[in-house]
Amino acid sequence: MDNLVFSDESYSFLTLRQLYDVCGDFFVVAKKSESEIVGYTIGCPKANTLDSWILALAIDPRYRHQGIGRRLTSYLLSQLKEIKTNYVFLTVDPQNTIAINLYSDLGFEFVAYKEDYFGKKSARNIMKKKLL
């Protein structure tokens, strides 16, 4: 699924597995059945700060426009709030207006535009939300 959503910028299975081990409760998965994952989001508290990052939100294209991304992100934000996260940051492709609108609806604000955030021709908007 990750390749369908992020193509060249997708996480490898190895990276996803390690993020699952490291992020614990902040790696939230939506399943259609016990064996079929339809989406996930990954949050990560930033060491030695009261801030956290959302590292990814991925929804299988067959299951988009059903509110899954909103529910996953809202749940993750509630988990991050429980650990007293002050600000949550994320990056989003500036062309991905659906994701930008979702994050804006959830209270995220634009912070900065970075032309080569993930390397040449891989621009990102940085957004943040105050939780506490």
Side-chain angles (χ1 to χ4, degrees), residues 1 25-31 37-43 54 56-60 63 66-80 102-103 106 108:
M1 176 186 69
D25 291 340
F26 308 113
F27 194 121
V28 185
V29 176
K31 295 180 179 181
I37 293 173
V38 298
Y40 71 85
T41 188
I42 305 169
I54 294 178
L57 171 63
I59 307 299
D60 184 312
Y63 296 97
Q66 297 178 29
I68 296 168
R70 181 178 300 277
R71 289 192 302 274
L72 283 170
T73 305
S74 294
Y75 180 78
L76 175 59
L77 291 171
S78 71
Q79 295 295 98
L80 293 170
L102 168 67
Y103 294 132
L106 291 172
F108 282 84

Side-chain angles (χ1 to χ4, degrees), residues 22-68:
V22 171
C23 297
D25 291 340
F26 308 113
F27 194 121
V28 185
V29 176
K31 295 180 179 181
K32 179 178 179 185
S33 65
E34 195 56 38
S35 61
E36 186 178 5
I37 293 173
V38 298
Y40 71 85
T41 188
I42 305 169
C44 182
K46 187 173 178 183
N48 303 317
T49 73
L50 296 176
D51 297 336
S52 294
W53 280 81
I54 294 178
L55 302 177
L57 171 63
I59 307 299
D60 184 312
R62 297 172 295 169
Y63 296 97
R64 290 185 179 158
H65 309 292
Q66 297 178 29
I68 296 168

Side-chain angles (χ1 to χ4, degrees), residues 12 68 97 123:
S12 68
I68 296 168
T97 55

Side-chain angles (χ1 to χ4, degrees), residues 89-120:
F89 294 86
L90 59 83
T91 65
V92 60
D93 184 329
Q95 305 295 319
N96 190 344
T97 55
I98 292 172
I100 291 169
N101 290 336
L102 168 67
Y103 294 132
S104 294
D105 286 350
L106 291 172
F108 282 84
E109 298 177 348
F110 175 82
V111 174
Y113 171 82
K114 300 288 183 176
E115 181 68 33
D116 297 322
Y117 190 85
F118 285 124
K120 278 208 182 282

Side-chain angles (χ1 to χ4, degrees), residues 10-25:
S10 65
Y11 288 120
S12 68
F13 175 78
L14 173 68
T15 300
L16 284 170
R17 182 66 178 103
Q18 289 175 324
L19 285 168
Y20 178 78
D21 287 340
V22 171
C23 297
D25 291 340

